[in-house]
Amino acid sequence: MGESVVTDDDAQLRRALWAMTSGLYLLSLAQEDRLHFMTISLVMQVAKTPRRLAMSIEDGAIALEFISKDPTIGLVFLDRDQAPLARKFAKAPIFDQEKMSASGVPVVREGSSGLWMPSDSLGMVVGRVISSSQLGSHWLVTTSVDNMVLRQPLEEWSAVLAMSDTRMHYGG
């Protein structure tokens, strides 16, 4: 190993942060007949009793508008081969059911939460926003984990999609 080099080079710092491992999920949000999916990678479990997740959402994102009106959220798990689906919702608009059908992504509505998920997704964790704090360019959002809706049995899940399975990187 060579000598240590201290750097504040922005490009190098970005590349190092992009190398951090993270999952790649869809955040599912709904308001009446409107639905929104947002590809999200900055998610982690922060407590197991009670179960809590934390996620980072860019200031100005459509997701924040939805959360401010209805704190119910779904975190959709995708299979490793579903990277195109994650790309599709990287900068997604607000949909209604008709527009979502026209987008070519078949979706199903989970009855008790009213949230939507792609019909071929692995499953979705459902919860509610507990708190949020602005941290500069992003909001740190903490949620409960209330239940899970499975589209495929857990035993059949292969690898869950991760950022490293794609050519995507978090760009903020």
Side-chain angles (χ1 to χ4, degrees):
M1 301 209 50
E3 279 185 46
S4 296
V5 177
V6 177
T7 182
D8 64 354
D9 179 274
D10 189 56
Q12 288 186 351
L13 289 170
R14 269 196 325 266
R15 287 189 65 199
L17 293 175
W18 291 342
M20 294 177 72
T21 58
S22 62
L24 203 52
Y25 312 94
L26 295 181
L27 185 61
S28 175
L29 304 161
Q31 290 176 4
E32 299 165 15
D33 64 341
R34 299 177 343 142
L35 60 141
H36 178 62
F37 289 123
M38 180 183 100
T39 301
I40 188 167
S41 64
L42 299 173
V43 180
M44 65 185 292
Q45 182 178 341
V46 293
K48 68 176 188 168
T49 308
R51 289 185 179 97
R52 299 287 186 252
L53 299 177
M55 58 188 72
S56 182
I57 301 174
E58 187 174 13
D59 190 35
I62 294 170
L64 294 172
E65 171 196 332
F66 273 72
I67 288 169
S68 72
K69 294 180 180 154
D70 183 347
T72 307
I73 63 99
L75 188 67
V76 178
F77 289 77
L78 301 173
D79 192 84
R80 180 177 275 162
D81 66 0
Q82 292 182 298
L85 193 56
R87 280 189 207 92
K88 183 176 197 87
F89 294 109
K91 299 287 183 187
I94 296 170
F95 294 94
D96 59 22
Q97 189 173 3
E98 186 177 313
K99 286 181 188 171
M100 181 57 74
S101 295
S103 77
V105 178
V107 293
V108 293
R109 191 169 203 169
E110 193 278 312
S112 63
S113 70
L115 295 172
W116 297 82
M117 65 181 141
S119 57
D120 61 349
S121 62
L122 298 174
M124 175 173 67
V125 170
V126 177
R128 295 182 66 76
V129 172
I130 296 167
S131 67
S132 59
S133 329
Q134 190 168 20
L135 303 173
S137 63
H138 285 66
W139 286 80
L140 178 64
V141 177
T142 306
T143 72
S144 62
V145 176
D146 301 334
N147 60 49
M148 182 169 198
V149 180
L150 293 173
R151 296 291 302 157
Q152 296 181 27
L154 279 169
E155 310 79 53
E156 294 178 15
W157 288 22
S158 57
V160 174
L161 182 63
M163 188 71 82
S164 58
D165 296 325
T166 72
R167 292 181 182 227
M168 297 172 70
H169 60 268
Y170 185 76

